[in-house]
Amino acid sequence: MKARCSKLKPEQECDPLYLRKTAMDYLARREHSEQELVRKLGSRGFDTAMVEVAVADLKADGLLSDSRFAETFVNSRFRRGSGPQKIAAELRERGIAADLIHLCIEAFDDQWRQRVREVREKKFGTDLPGDFSERSRQMRFLQQRGFTAEQISGAFKDE
């Protein structure tokens, strides 16, 4: 006997209403990119062609939007202390177009310098590092957070 890999009952696999309800449940919890939603619904065991149609319908109804997802995602990651490079990489993984990524990250252009300072001060305190090794350690931390070299060097200048 062949084992089923679907998490659905046989009658649910071909039910477009159940598919839409499942997609809406995902979207009610948080914004999703189109690619994320397709992947999640596919992993639940829904037919690929039905998923494509349902996603197209959700987009047409304004319930699924990559631009809305990207804006929300960038804002959320900005508040968490992630830098623009890390955020852009995470958005690319989620199937967001490069021009949309650039547009959403650009919206915070005037705030990145202040944010990198806040992230550094939260982790290491307000005093600038005295020696080279401590400065390097702090710079590596900020680099792992996804800030650019220019933004990082600005965080170590007195103003």
Side-chain angles (χ1 to χ4, degrees), residues 13-31:
E13 288 178 9
C14 299
D15 184 0
L17 292 176
Y18 185 74
L19 170 59
R20 184 174 172 94
K21 180 196 174 306
T22 304
M24 300 269 294
D25 287 346
Y26 284 133
L27 292 171
R29 290 184 198 104
R30 71 168 176 85
E31 292 286 343

Side-chain angles (χ1 to χ4, degrees), residues 45-83:
F46 287 107
D47 178 60
T48 308
M50 283 179 55
V51 169
E52 303 276 333
V53 170
V55 166
D57 289 346
L58 290 169
K59 280 176 66 175
D61 294 343
L63 299 171
L64 177 64
S65 167
D66 277 353
S67 63
R68 196 170 54 231
F69 167 76
E71 289 171 14
T72 304
F73 189 88
V74 170
N75 190 31
S76 166
R77 292 305 195 267
F78 177 83
R79 284 186 277 114
R80 269 194 210 172
S82 294

Side-chain angles (χ1 to χ4, degrees), residues 119-154:
V119 170
R120 191 198 72 73
E121 289 176 5
K122 181 177 179 185
K123 175 78 172 175
F124 301 106
T126 56
D127 295 336
L128 291 174
D131 64 339
F132 179 76
S133 64
E134 179 59 22
R135 182 181 170 109
S136 296
R137 186 172 80 88
Q138 291 183 19
M139 289 177 109
R140 280 192 307 274
F141 169 76
L142 294 171
Q143 188 177 24
Q144 289 173 345
R145 283 292 188 96
F147 292 100
T148 65
E150 182 182 331
Q151 292 163 344
I152 292 169
S153 66

Side-chain angles (χ1 to χ4, degrees), residues 1-15 18 42-47:
M1 184 170 154
K2 185 178 174 184
R4 287 180 355 131
C5 61
S6 175
K7 299 175 185 174
L8 302 170
K9 296 175 185 171
E11 63 273 8
Q12 292 173 331
E13 288 178 9
C14 299
D15 184 0
Y18 185 74
S43 71
R44 288 283 303 264
F46 287 107
D47 178 60

Side-chain angles (χ1 to χ4, degrees), residues 85-100:
Q85 293 177 329
K86 184 175 182 179
I87 295 170
E90 290 176 338
L91 285 171
R92 279 191 298 274
E93 287 174 7
R94 288 165 172 79
I96 303 300
D99 57 337
L100 184 55

